[in-house]
Amino acid sequence: MTITQHQQRASAWFRELRDSICAGLEEIEKEYCHPECSEGSPAAGDPSPLAQDDNPTFTRTPWSRAEGGGGEMSVLKGLVFEKGGVNISTVHGEFSEQFRREIPGASENPHFWASGISLVIHPRSPLVPAVHLNTRFICTNKTWFGGGMDLTPITPDEEDTEFFHAAIKHTCDKHDTAYYPKFKHACDEYFFLKHRNEPRGIGGIFYDYLNTGDWEKDFAFTQDVGRAFLEAYAPLVRKHLHEPWTEEQRAHQLVRRGRYVEFNLLYDRGTRFGLMTGGNTEAILMSLPPEVRWG
Amino acid sequence: MTITQHQQRASAWFRELRDSICAGLEEIEKEYCHPECSEGSPAAGDPSPLAQDDNPTFTRTPWSRAEGGGGEMSVLKGLVFEKGGVNISTVHGEFSEQFRREIPGASENPHFWASGISLVIHPRSPLVPAVHLNTRFICTNKTWFGGGMDLTPITPDEEDTEFFHAAIKHTCDKHDTAYYPKFKHACDEYFFLKHRNEPRGIGGIFYDYLNTGDWEKDFAFTQDVGRAFLEAYAPLVRKHLHEPWTEEQRAHQLVRRGRYVEFNLLYDRGTRFGLMTGGNTEAILMSLPPEVRWG
């Protein structure tokens, strides 16, 4: 199979994954808006200002890049998910002089092709964790997959943490039992706020430059990471969705969201690289929470 | 006069300036809380949640730095000033290997001494502009002054912009008529969000590495920049303080504050350097607005 076929299959997969994740999250919004059709009961004392809306859904906005390629943003402003952003993009071009040194295979040939999906979900309830997923396929003179997902609860819950990690471990172990410990460690290292001396959340997995020499195997793993997202996250949302929360918990959530902003703007490689090199600002900063407080 | 005497006079001045600026801002809070004692009338429909408080004042917190020196944070959470932070610090130590190359005079000798004042004010009303001031005296193998101030209105007002710039120009011109155009230009260049292709606010002045060879002259200029702060800013606060504002204007303010966060975390040299090198996180991030929204 040629590299072009790999690229086509990877970008088609990211689009397919986007569709199924958006549908899965919309399903949760629907259950919440129409509790008569589901098992949950309406949240007691939920101060949601949107409670009059019916069934919030994702709004899609395509964008293109002057240099080549483009993407599609999907944004949900819902009752359950105060702000959810799911981006897919497939772009190509040349790395800047400065960036070439940092990218494997780019020093000899600056051309690149990249496709991926990236999502960040900020739920309204402080009892429902925020979550991030990203998977990508990159081609320079070399090719590789990268990605991962990680959970950011406002107040960590041991049972949730175990569940989330177990779901990811289950997926990793199907491919290689070395993956989970290795990628969990990389996640803990990456999502760490040095200036606060604290982790962003309770971790997950993070992998990069994955090329075992067997493209089908690496692609299958990356697909399974994507499929694991709803399995690992949706049950946590449904578990906490109807729990009443206090203004104090909400205030704490807004402060914790500040840490998310600090991480993304100070450290996140994708965010900083995208913004510094003329990427789509709106799509890149879709990861920022809707409402935030600093003390 | 020895360098030690220069250092003592500079740091004593920054402390004195801190006291007078805090007193000037507290005076405005007092007028607002006790309008019977001043000319203004209470704001119509002001949704301030703190209206029951009497006379908010700055709270001071000293901090020290393991490597040497320390500082004092002053924080005001008021009716007029939703969040105001005024920091002074006097620190010394050695620049890291990585940083030495970027600092004049540090490659031969990594020791530094630095003293300064830094303030950021985020008013509650979207009609009152946010403002930033910083002045500092730095010693490596070389010595210099740096600083400036700039205004960030939520909705720019031509009359305010002219007034603010005129006050600063008046101060600069007393010292050197070349200063204002040069330092205004540097400010416009520095406070620019490349990823948004927009300025942070309506500018002001920004200067760095100021050493004319005449320490007294440079110190006098830096002192006058500090003195100009209340002259340039307080009249704008008093002018807009009692104007009623709408929820729509407030919502716009919260989004514009997001730009302030983006600038400080993505670009601001002081913020990034401080956080990356183990500075006092709380003091450094005091510049971040209290409440922020991203769309």
Side-chain angles (χ1 to χ4, degrees):
Chain A
M1 205 178 270
T2 67
I3 190 165
T4 305
Q5 285 171 308
H6 287 164
Q7 291 174 343
Q8 282 168 355
R9 284 175 62 200
S11 62
W13 160 252
F14 295 131
R15 181 172 291 271
E16 191 185 324
L17 179 63
R18 187 271 314 267
D19 291 344
S20 65
I21 287 176
C22 288
L25 297 173
E26 285 176 348
E27 189 60 35
I28 295 175
E29 286 287 344
K30 196 169 164 186
E31 288 168 25
Y32 186 78
C33 296
H34 301 287
E36 68 282 6
C37 312
S38 71
E39 287 172 42
S41 60
D46 178 346
S48 159
L50 296 176
Q52 68 283 8
D53 278 355
D54 248 1
N55 241 37
T57 54
F58 279 93
T59 302
R60 286 194 183 154
T61 311
W63 53 272
S64 62
R65 194 165 160 277
E67 241 206 293
E72 208 161 47
M73 298 182 265
S74 300
V75 182
L76 172 63
K77 305 231 171 141
L79 300 179
V80 177
F81 305 110
E82 191 174 340
K83 182 177 168 190
V86 186
N87 290 318
I88 54 171
S89 65
T90 300
V91 299
H92 57 270
E94 282 187 31
F95 286 121
S96 68
E97 285 281 350
Q98 191 205 340
F99 205 61
R100 283 174 207 178
R101 279 165 284 160
E102 302 177 30
I103 302 286
S107 48
E108 309 95 70
N109 177 350
H111 290 89
F112 73 94
W113 179 99
S115 184
I117 178 172
S118 177
L119 75 84
V120 174
I121 309 292
H122 295 287
R124 192 173 297 276
S125 165
L127 306 179
V128 178
V131 72
H132 161 249
L133 163 87
N134 166 242
T135 57
R136 55 194 178 268
F137 177 49
I138 315 272
C139 306
T140 60
N141 266 10
K142 307 186 176 196
T143 70
W144 67 89
F145 287 95
M149 67 176 111
D150 64 289
L151 194 74
T152 307
I154 303 311
T155 308
D157 169 320
E158 212 169 298
E159 206 179 84
D160 290 359
T161 301
E162 275 176 32
F163 177 85
F164 186 75
H165 276 279
I168 295 175
K169 181 176 187 300
H170 177 75
T171 289
C172 290
D173 286 353
K174 283 193 287 180
H175 295 268
D176 188 327
T177 55
Y179 279 179
Y180 173 74
K182 190 172 151 194
F183 300 157
K184 175 186 185 302
H185 178 74
C187 185
D188 290 340
E189 290 220 314
Y190 183 74
F191 292 104
F192 190 80
L193 286 79
K194 287 177 215 74
H195 67 289
R196 299 278 189 185
N197 195 30
E198 63 184 43
R200 180 167 90 169
I202 59 87
I205 53 166
F206 178 84
Y207 64 104
D208 209 356
Y209 309 120
L210 180 69
N211 183 340
T212 62
D214 179 347
W215 190 86
E216 292 295 344
K217 176 179 153 72
D218 299 340
F219 181 47
F221 172 66
T222 290
Q223 286 183 300
D224 270 355
V225 168
R227 286 185 193 106
F229 173 76
L230 283 175
E231 287 167 32
Y233 183 59
L236 300 181
V237 179
R238 290 192 167 94
K239 177 180 164 191
H240 294 292
L241 184 55
H242 296 284
E243 291 168 1
W245 41 272
T246 66
E247 275 308 303
E248 201 181 338
Q249 289 170 318
R250 172 70 178 179
H252 180 58
Q253 177 190 40
L254 300 189
V255 169
R256 294 304 308 171
R257 282 178 174 175
R259 304 291 206 267
Y260 215 90
V261 174
E262 290 172 22
F263 181 85
N264 283 20
L265 299 183
L266 286 170
Y267 301 110
D268 190 62
R269 294 199 293 241
T271 302
R272 291 188 63 81
F273 172 68
L275 293 179
M276 300 303 173
T277 55
N280 185 298
T281 296
E282 212 190 325
I284 296 165
L285 295 185
M286 195 181 288
S287 63
L288 299 183
E291 193 181 339
V292 186
R293 288 198 70 87
W294 275 275
Chain B
M1 204 179 266
T2 68
I3 189 163
T4 306
Q5 285 171 306
H6 288 164
Q7 290 174 344
Q8 282 168 356
R9 285 177 61 199
S11 62
W13 161 253
F14 295 131
R15 181 172 292 270
E16 190 186 325
L17 179 62
R18 186 274 312 270
D19 291 344
S20 65
I21 286 176
C22 288
L25 297 173
E26 285 175 350
E27 188 59 35
I28 295 175
E29 287 287 345
K30 197 169 164 186
E31 287 168 25
Y32 186 78
C33 295
H34 301 288
E36 68 280 8
C37 311
S38 71
E39 288 172 41
S41 60
D46 179 346
S48 159
L50 295 177
Q52 69 282 8
D53 278 354
D54 249 3
N55 241 35
T57 55
F58 277 93
T59 302
R60 288 199 180 149
T61 311
W63 54 271
S64 63
R65 194 164 161 280
E67 241 205 293
E72 209 161 47
M73 297 182 266
S74 300
V75 183
L76 171 64
K77 305 232 172 141
L79 300 180
V80 177
F81 305 111
E82 191 174 341
K83 182 177 168 192
V86 186
N87 290 318
I88 54 171
S89 65
T90 300
V91 300
H92 57 270
E94 281 187 31
F95 287 121
S96 67
E97 286 281 349
Q98 192 203 339
F99 205 62
R100 284 173 206 178
R101 278 165 286 161
E102 302 176 30
I103 302 287
S107 49
E108 309 95 70
N109 177 351
H111 290 89
F112 72 94
W113 178 98
S115 184
I117 179 171
S118 177
L119 76 83
V120 175
I121 309 291
H122 295 287
R124 193 173 296 278
S125 163
L127 306 180
V128 179
V131 72
H132 161 249
L133 163 87
N134 166 242
T135 58
R136 54 193 179 270
F137 177 51
I138 315 271
C139 306
T140 60
N141 266 11
K142 306 187 176 196
T143 70
W144 67 90
F145 287 95
M149 67 176 111
D150 65 290
L151 193 76
T152 309
I154 303 313
T155 307
D157 169 319
E158 212 169 298
E159 207 179 83
D160 290 358
T161 300
E162 274 175 33
F163 177 85
F164 187 76
H165 277 279
I168 296 174
K169 181 175 187 301
H170 177 74
T171 289
C172 290
D173 285 353
K174 283 193 286 179
H175 295 267
D176 188 327
T177 54
Y179 280 178
Y180 173 74
K182 190 172 152 194
F183 299 158
K184 176 187 185 300
H185 179 73
C187 184
D188 290 341
E189 288 218 317
Y190 183 74
F191 293 104
F192 190 81
L193 286 80
K194 288 178 213 74
H195 67 290
R196 299 279 189 185
N197 194 31
E198 63 185 43
R200 180 166 91 169
I202 60 88
I205 52 166
F206 179 85
Y207 64 103
D208 209 356
Y209 310 120
L210 180 69
N211 184 339
T212 61
D214 178 347
W215 190 86
E216 293 294 345
K217 176 179 153 72
D218 298 341
F219 181 47
F221 173 66
T222 290
Q223 286 182 299
D224 270 356
V225 168
R227 288 186 191 103
F229 173 77
L230 283 176
E231 287 167 32
Y233 183 59
L236 300 181
V237 178
R238 290 193 167 94
K239 177 179 164 190
H240 295 292
L241 183 55
H242 295 285
E243 291 168 1
W245 39 272
T246 65
E247 276 309 302
E248 201 181 338
Q249 289 170 320
R250 172 70 177 178
H252 180 57
Q253 178 190 39
L254 301 188
V255 169
R256 294 304 307 172
R257 282 179 174 175
R259 303 291 206 269
Y260 215 90
V261 174
E262 290 172 22
F263 181 84
N264 283 19
L265 299 182
L266 286 170
Y267 301 110
D268 190 63
R269 294 199 294 239
T271 302
R272 292 188 62 81
F273 172 68
L275 294 178
M276 299 304 175
T277 55
N280 185 296
T281 296
E282 212 189 324
I284 297 164
L285 295 185
M286 194 181 288
S287 64
L288 299 183
E291 193 182 340
V292 186
R293 288 198 71 87
W294 275 275

